[in-house]
Each structure stands twice: as structure tokens, then as C-alpha cells.
């Protein structure tokens, strides 16, 4: 499995949707219910987010040989949590990831920084409209980019115009099409049968984060900028997720997306070369995800 996930062949991407479908089926069988339309829409949002992560990983060149492991890890964490989380949160997360994809291209495209920052602002604004607590990424992601290189005045203006355009578009389109859009979300916080298995996920991700620090020493300048941005964005997202529970029901749901982001950019680094246990890491992650999907039925452990 590791060789397939690390290959650059198109067939490697087939592993991601197949794994997602397997975990979704395990979760549905455990609940004894046929997934509804909203759950299917959330499943599509998770797959789209995984694809955005894969493309960001590929285009940023943070590794000499890009692979499918980051997007695959996102699916392993997210799919078992679909049934107990709102659909709008996952689609909001998709726009955050698309904004991150544009941000990772900034060091490579100096001449197009203003256009890229406009799209970063537009995607972050739409994410905030879909799920209000996601608006914090409108601060975190630009700060991460500023840490790599400060913005010029025209670039800052482009970012702000993108944010303004997103809010204006979300107000104007429902008026044009006469389709009501619920801007205020009343969904309750996330409820799950047991959080202990997610603690194991976090432990694995922290181990990968430590391995990743060593990789920064050997990285090229191009790789280092992308690795630093994703590294600190994942830590910021996870820290926000831990604090979100005390800020209200809508903020508590950020643990689902923040944890997914943290595992995506860290758990995938638990496969260091020349370590004998590396080939077995993907299988261990897959087993962990399957237990997460079926945990309510085995929680007596």
C-alpha cells in the first residue's frame, strides 16, 4: 500500500475514494441506517477537500516526489466523523483548503501574487459565510503568508477585495435567484460516542510533527517555505480546535476540521525512509480509521 500511495501514477489516487467508501460503509453498518442526502453531500465535500490537499501537495513541491498520503490521511480522519458533524462545515473547510492551495503557490509565482491573494481572500470569505467560526482562517492564513514574506500595499488590497467580494457575492446571489440562504447556523456542537480513539490519532500526528522538524533541515529553500506554512497552519488549526469547545457549540465543531488538518500535514510524515516499520504505517492508520468508524459498537473496550 505504501508504494502505491507514494507513486505518482494516476492509479494511486484510486486508493483515496475506495478507502473513503469503505470507512463510510463501516460507519453506516455500525449505525444500522442508510446514509441520507446531507450525509452524502458531506461525503462529497470530504472527497473534494482531499483532492484539494493532494493538488496543494503536488503544486507546492514541498517534497521531491509528491504522493497521495496527505489527502488519504485527511479521509481517514474525516469520514468516520461525517455522521455526527454538519455538512456545511466540511464544505466551508473545502474553501479553506483551496485558499491554502493558492497560498502555497505564492513563493513560486511572484508576478501573480496579487491575483493569488485575491483568490485566497475570496475563498476564505466564502468559508466564513458557510460556517461562521471558520472566519478565523481569514486571519491565520494571511499571517502565515506574511511570515514567509510581508505583503506590499497592493497585495494587501487584493486580499481585502477578495474578502469583500465573497461576502457581497453571498448576499447578492440569493437575491438574484430568489433562493433563501440561511446565514445563521443553529446546528449544535459535535457529538460523538467516545473521544479516546481521537486521542490516539493526535498522538500519531504529534509523532509525525516531530519527524517533520528533521525534514526542515534537509529541505531546499522552495520546500522549506511550503513545509513551514503547512506546519504552522496545522498547529494553529489544532490549537484553535482545542480552544473552540469553550467558545460555544458552533466553535466546538472545529475539532473535526482542525484535527483533520493537523493529521494531514503531520501523520503523513510517520513514514521516514530507512526505517523498518515504515511499510506498516499506512496499514496501522487504516486500522485506526476503521476502529474510529466502528468505535461506538466496540467502545466497551
Amino acid at each position: 500500500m505504501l508504494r502505491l500511495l507514494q507513486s505518482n501514477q494516476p492509479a494511486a489516487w484510486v486508493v483515496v475514494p475506495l478507502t473513503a467508501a469503505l470507512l463510510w460503509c463501516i460507519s453506516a453498518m455500525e449505525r444500522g441506517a442508510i446514509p441520507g442526502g446531507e450525509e452524502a453531500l458531506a461525503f462529497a465535500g470530504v472527497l473534494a477537500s482531499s483532492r484539494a490537499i493532494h493538488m496543494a501537495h503536488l503544486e507546492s513541491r514541498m517534497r521531491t516526489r509528491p504522493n497521495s498520503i496527505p489527502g488519504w490521511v485527511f479521509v481517514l480522519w474525516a469520514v468516520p466523523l461525517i455522521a455526527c458533524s454538519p455538512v456545511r462545515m466540511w464544505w466551508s473547510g473545502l474553501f479553506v483548503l483551496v485558499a491554502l492551495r493558492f497560498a502555497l503557490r505564492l513563493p513560486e509565482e511572484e508576478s501573480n501574487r496579487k491575483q493569488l491573494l485575491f483568490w485566497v481572500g475570496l475563498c476564505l470569505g466564502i468559508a466564513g459565510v458557510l460556517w461562521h467560526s471558520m472566519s478565523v482562517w481569514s486571519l491565520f492564513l494571511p499571517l502565515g503568508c506574511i511570515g514567509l514574506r510581508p505583503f506590499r500595499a497592493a497585495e494587501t488590497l487584493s486580499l481585502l477585495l477578495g474578502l469583500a467580494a465573497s461576502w457581497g457575492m453571498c448576499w447578492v446571489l440569493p437575491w438574484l435567484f430568489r433562493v433563501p440562504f440561511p446565514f445563521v447556523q443553529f446546528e449544535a456542537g459535535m457529538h460523538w460516542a467516545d473521544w479516546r480513539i481521537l486521542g490516539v490519532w493526535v498522538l500519531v500526528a504529534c509523532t509525525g510533527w516531530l519527524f517533520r522538524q528533521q525534514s526542515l533541515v534537509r529541505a531546499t529553500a522552495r520546500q522549506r517555505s511550503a513545509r513551514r506554512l503547512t506546519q504552522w497552519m496545522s498547529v494553529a488549526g489544532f490549537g484553535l480546535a482545542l480552544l473552540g469547545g469553550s467558545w460555544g457549540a458552533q466553535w466546538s465543531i472545529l475539532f473535526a476540521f482542525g484535527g483533520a488538518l493537523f493529521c494531514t500535514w503531520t501523520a503523513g510524515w510517520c513514514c521516514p525512509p530507512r526505517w523498518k516499520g515504515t511499510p506498516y504505517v499506512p496499514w496501522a492508520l487504516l486500522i485506526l480509521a476503521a476502529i474510529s468508524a466502528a468505535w461506538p459498537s466496540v467502545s466497551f473496550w
Side-chain angles (χ1 to χ4, degrees), residues 105-117 148-150 152 155:
R105 290 168 52 188
L106 288 174
E108 297 290 321
E109 302 185 24
E110 285 291 329
S111 60
N112 295 326
R113 283 180 64 90
K114 290 188 293 185
Q115 292 87 337
L116 289 175
L117 284 170
L148 297 179
R149 205 207 78 177
R152 299 186 180 94
E155 295 169 351

Side-chain angles (χ1 to χ4, degrees), residues 11-34:
W13 178 248
V14 178
V15 177
V16 178
L18 287 180
T19 303
L22 173 64
L23 295 176
W24 197 27
C25 289
I26 293 174
S27 178
M29 287 188 295
E30 183 278 326
R31 290 179 282 115
I34 299 177

Side-chain angles (χ1 to χ4, degrees), residues 168-191:
M169 179 181 63
C170 290
W171 282 104
V172 170
L173 289 182
W175 178 78
L176 288 176
F177 293 101
R178 301 295 190 271
V179 178
F181 183 83
F183 283 91
V184 180
Q185 296 102 39
F186 297 99
E187 291 91 342
M190 184 175 176
H191 299 286

Side-chain angles (χ1 to χ4, degrees), residues 146-166:
I146 290 174
L148 297 179
R149 205 207 78 177
F151 294 160
R152 299 186 180 94
E155 295 169 351
T156 304
L157 180 61
S158 295
L159 177 67
L160 296 177
L161 286 176
L163 288 169
S166 64

Side-chain angles (χ1 to χ4, degrees), residues 39-165:
E39 191 172 330
L41 192 60
F43 180 79
V46 169
L47 284 183
S49 298
S50 177
R51 184 63 179 176
I53 291 171
H54 176 71
M55 296 305 298
H57 183 57
L58 182 68
E59 295 169 354
S60 65
R61 302 179 185 178
M62 69 176 69
R63 277 192 169 179
T64 305
R65 293 185 60 188
N67 54 62
S68 302
I69 291 181
W72 185 68
V73 171
F74 183 88
V75 162
L76 294 183
W77 168 281
V79 171
L81 303 180
I82 285 178
C84 57
S85 55
V87 57
R88 287 175 63 161
M89 190 277 299
W90 292 113
W91 282 96
S92 176
L94 169 63
F95 284 99
V96 172
L97 293 170
V98 173
L100 178 61
R101 177 185 173 185
F102 284 122
L104 288 172
R105 290 168 52 188
L106 288 174
E108 297 290 321
E109 302 185 24
E110 285 291 329
S111 60
N112 295 326
R113 283 180 64 90
K114 290 188 293 185
Q115 292 87 337
L116 289 175
L117 284 170
F118 174 83
W119 289 109
V120 168
L122 184 68
C123 292
L124 291 176
I126 295 175
V129 171
L130 290 176
W131 195 260
H132 295 166
S133 57
M134 287 287 191
S135 299
V136 296
W137 291 104
S138 300
L139 175 65
F140 283 164
L141 187 55
L143 284 178
C145 296
I146 290 174
L148 297 179
R149 205 207 78 177
F151 294 160
R152 299 186 180 94
E155 295 169 351
T156 304
L157 180 61
S158 295
L159 177 67
L160 296 177
L161 286 176
L163 288 169

Side-chain angles (χ1 to χ4, degrees), residues 230-241:
T230 54
Q231 166 184 286
W232 295 114
M233 288 306 299
S234 64
V235 172
F238 185 65
L240 175 68

Side-chain angles (χ1 to χ4, degrees), residues 152-231:
R152 299 186 180 94
E155 295 169 351
T156 304
L157 180 61
S158 295
L159 177 67
L160 296 177
L161 286 176
L163 288 169
S166 64
W167 282 88
M169 179 181 63
C170 290
W171 282 104
V172 170
L173 289 182
W175 178 78
L176 288 176
F177 293 101
R178 301 295 190 271
V179 178
F181 183 83
F183 283 91
V184 180
Q185 296 102 39
F186 297 99
E187 291 91 342
M190 184 175 176
H191 299 286
W192 205 57
D194 203 307
W195 293 87
R196 286 175 292 178
I197 192 66
L198 298 185
V200 180
W201 265 113
V202 172
L203 181 62
V204 173
C206 289
T207 304
W209 189 86
L210 293 176
F211 279 125
R212 192 171 190 187
Q213 306 318 302
Q214 299 176 352
S215 72
L216 288 174
V217 179
R218 302 186 301 270
T220 63
R222 175 186 295 172
Q223 293 172 337
R224 195 175 294 115
S225 61
R227 292 183 187 183
R228 283 177 176 171
L229 181 58
T230 54
Q231 166 184 286

